Each structure stands twice: as C-alpha cells, then as structure tokens.
Amino acid sequence: MKLIVALGNPGLKYEKTKHNTGFMALDHYLDEKGLRLDRDKFTALYAKEKVAGEDVIFMEPQTYMNESGRAVGAAAKFFKIDPSDILVIHDDMDMPIAKLRIRAGGKSGGHNGIKSIIACLGTDKFNRLKIGIRHPDKQSVVSWVLTPFNPDQQKELEASFAKVDQIIDDFIAGKDAQYLMNRYN
C-alpha cells in the first residue's frame, strides 16, 4: 500500500498560495484520474483507491502546514504503511518555480510540514517530491509562501503537473526513489 500526501493549508484563504503547491499538484492528478478525496479522517481529507493494481491512499492534511505530521503519522499507523511507501508532495523555496526534485529521506530543509512529518513518523526515511516556488526577493518568507503565483508563474507551475502525474504513477507502480531520482531529477 502507498500513501501519497500533499502538503498545504486548508481553507479558501490559502487555496492558491505558494504554500499550497502540494495540494494543487495532487488535485491535478486526482482530476486527471477522475478521483476525489471523499473521506474525512486523521484530520485529513483522503481517498483509498486501487490504481494500477495497487492500494493507494491519497491525502491532504487539514491541519495547518506546521502540524501535517499528525495526519500522516495517524494514517501510516492505521494502514500499516512503511515510510518507504510514503510520497510527500510539497513546495520548496530553494528551487526555481516549477522545478521538480525527488528526494529519498533527509532533513526537513527548514520546511515546517516536513519537520512535523519527521517528528510524527519518528523517521526521515520517506520520499519527497519537491516543487520549486523560488525564494522571495524582497518579501518576508511568510508573506511569500502565503501569496498566490502571478499568472506567468501559475502557467509554469501548471505545465509541470503533467510530469508530477508521471512521477506519482511511477511511484505507485513500485519504482524506487533511486529510479525516480535518475529519471526525473
């Protein structure tokens, strides 16, 4: 069983902000597959689906970013999912807008959602799909991540979602992190 988690903040106020890039990417995938998050448990919206013969949990925690680990930890424990079968999709300020990078484990890189997941899982040995949102030039970090993309940035981001869809499909098909990094990084 796989657990694919997208990070963001709940509510209309945050819907199109840079910090919700993970939610946007997973929503695109679900729309393409005709799936929807139809369950509410673990302080998250989630769906349990069969994709390419594999049981998959798709999840968007409904806590704020800093407490994302509560939902991920509870679902991983409930469904008995090994951390190596978890893929977390999130924004990353240290990369250009829409650049994608896969990482297997490691520190949080200052991302509070990832810090929370590491704390709640008790390990950093889970997979990440990072989507670049660029570091702010003159704004504070908090202001930057909580503002929407401009139209050109939004187009770049949306163009990257087809590749995100491929990465998710490959992860579900059992491709390991090394394969994904070699193919997509």
Side-chain angles (χ1 to χ4, degrees):
M1 181 175 287
K2 305 287 187 191
L3 174 59
I4 299 175
V5 180
L7 298 187
N9 286 310
L12 291 175
K13 176 180 177 183
Y14 301 105
E15 188 174 23
K16 297 289 183 186
T17 64
K18 294 173 187 76
H19 227 11
N20 276 30
T21 299
F23 280 7
M24 289 182 242
L26 183 58
D27 290 344
H28 181 272
Y29 179 86
L30 295 172
D31 287 345
E32 290 293 309
K33 300 292 185 184
L35 304 173
R36 62 185 194 88
L37 303 175
D38 58 0
R39 300 179 189 189
D40 187 350
K41 188 174 180 179
F42 316 113
T43 62
L45 296 176
Y46 80 99
K48 184 177 181 191
E49 300 289 343
K50 184 81 79 178
V51 179
E54 180 74 36
D55 286 326
V56 183
I57 306 295
F58 297 101
M59 173 183 279
E60 292 180 356
Q62 296 298 293
T63 57
Y64 287 94
M65 182 69 75
N66 298 356
E67 299 206 12
S68 299
R70 287 183 16 219
V72 177
K77 183 177 179 180
F78 181 84
F79 291 110
K80 297 175 178 55
I81 299 173
D82 189 87
S84 66
D85 288 324
I86 298 173
L87 176 65
V88 178
I89 305 167
H90 67 93
D91 61 292
D92 189 301
M93 284 192 316
D94 294 327
M95 299 187 314
I97 288 178
K99 180 166 176 61
L100 304 176
R101 176 164 289 135
I102 295 146
R103 186 166 180 207
K107 295 188 169 141
S108 69
H111 193 286
N112 289 329
I114 297 298
K115 280 182 194 173
S116 175
I117 294 169
I118 291 169
C120 290
L121 289 177
T123 183
D124 66 359
K125 305 293 186 218
F126 57 91
N127 304 290
R128 299 99 191 262
L129 170 51
K130 304 190 301 183
I131 303 172
I133 63 167
R134 193 179 57 112
H135 205 278
D137 294 327
K138 297 177 181 165
Q139 285 177 266
S140 74
V141 167
V142 172
S143 294
W144 178 252
V145 300
L146 296 180
T147 57
F149 292 97
N150 71 36
D152 290 338
Q153 294 168 338
Q154 187 67 38
K155 282 182 191 171
E156 281 183 73
L157 185 68
E158 289 172 6
S160 74
F161 288 163
K163 191 178 278 188
V164 169
D165 293 350
Q166 293 172 350
I167 293 167
I168 292 171
D169 280 338
D170 280 349
F171 182 76
I172 291 169
K175 304 295 185 189
D176 67 12
Q178 191 61 52
Y179 171 90
L180 296 173
M181 288 186 285
N182 288 343
R183 181 165 182 197
Y184 296 105
N185 282 0

